[in-house]
Amino acid sequence: MATNKHIIHGIFGDEVPMMEACKKLRASGIRVKEAYTPMPIHGLDSLIGVPRTRLAICAFIYGLTGIGLATLMMWYMMVSDWPNDIGGKPNWAYYFNIPAFIPITFESTVFCAAHGMALTYLLRCMLVPGAKAKNPDPRTTDDKFMLLLDLNDAQSEKAKTILKDSGAEEVNLINSYVVEPKYILEETH
């Protein structure tokens, strides 16, 4: 049996009623698909159920790559290809000069981690040149706060009531569409 789905926008003039609406929606089992705000709001991610980012794991991997590249570069340049005398001591092995190589290793680690995270973030968010903006209401870049909900029939009426009771300035039904049963996934909160 096909399910009717509705896209609802709840527009707020302030962040406090929007966060209260998020709490009430989550408490009633309604999933907030996205929140658009003109500024970052501390704690909003956990309120709408955004999973914790794995960007730190990527930073660790990129940092290890930086350490590996720096070590390989210094070993090749300073030990293998052209051993230099540093302080009257020749470089016959890498481990003799590890204290001298620490600053280069540190800088390479930070360089690779920072650039790798930035590129990962831009690609993950699809913030590439020529990408179309995903913001459905341009007022959210100025002074409005918006919750985007994608709900079925029963949830949409309850969500409209919660949004209005929480102080939403506007509750707009943007679109309705039909979803075949084979495309419906179980949602977890």
Side-chain angles (χ1 to χ4, degrees):
M1 182 174 153
T3 303
N4 292 326
K5 299 285 272 185
H6 307 282
I7 297 175
I8 297 172
H9 290 177
I11 308 287
F12 295 85
D14 192 25
E15 66 194 54
V16 175
M18 182 191 71
M19 293 181 78
E20 288 300 318
C22 288
K23 289 177 187 173
K24 291 177 183 175
L25 289 169
R26 291 287 307 265
S28 63
I30 295 174
R31 180 177 167 263
V32 177
K33 187 170 184 179
E34 188 64 75
Y36 295 92
T37 63
M39 60 195 173
I41 298 174
H42 181 71
L44 183 61
D45 293 348
S46 60
L47 272 182
I48 64 173
V50 174
R52 188 181 166 109
T53 180
R54 287 176 271 181
L55 200 56
I57 296 169
C58 294
F60 182 72
I61 292 169
Y62 296 138
L64 288 179
T65 304
I67 289 173
L69 289 175
T71 302
L72 181 65
M73 177 190 72
M74 290 182 294
W75 170 81
Y76 180 73
M77 290 179 175
M78 301 295 287
V79 176
S80 175
D81 187 42
W82 193 272
N84 289 327
D85 270 347
I86 298 175
K89 300 174 185 173
N91 292 324
W92 302 118
Y94 182 83
Y95 61 89
F96 288 149
N97 300 300
I98 286 179
F101 296 153
I102 286 176
I104 297 170
T105 305
F106 174 76
E107 294 297 333
S108 176
T109 303
V110 171
F111 177 84
C112 288
H115 285 83
M117 281 195 312
L119 290 173
T120 301
Y121 174 77
L122 293 174
L123 291 174
R124 182 73 176 96
C125 296
M126 290 307 294
L127 294 173
V128 294
K132 186 179 177 187
K134 296 178 184 175
N135 190 345
D137 193 333
R139 294 180 296 172
T140 58
T141 61
D142 189 17
D143 62 346
K144 297 295 180 190
F145 300 82
M146 186 181 88
L147 294 178
L148 174 66
L149 307 173
D150 189 4
L151 307 170
N152 60 27
D153 290 332
Q155 290 177 326
S156 66
E157 292 304 320
K158 190 186 332 179
K160 286 179 185 176
T161 305
I162 291 172
L163 289 172
K164 287 177 185 171
D165 291 345
S166 298
E169 294 177 354
E170 299 175 26
V171 178
N172 303 322
L173 175 63
I174 301 301
N175 191 10
S176 296
Y177 59 98
V178 178
V179 178
E180 295 298 322
K182 62 183 178 182
Y183 296 115
I184 295 176
L185 298 174
E186 292 291 325
E187 293 183 1
T188 59
H189 294 279

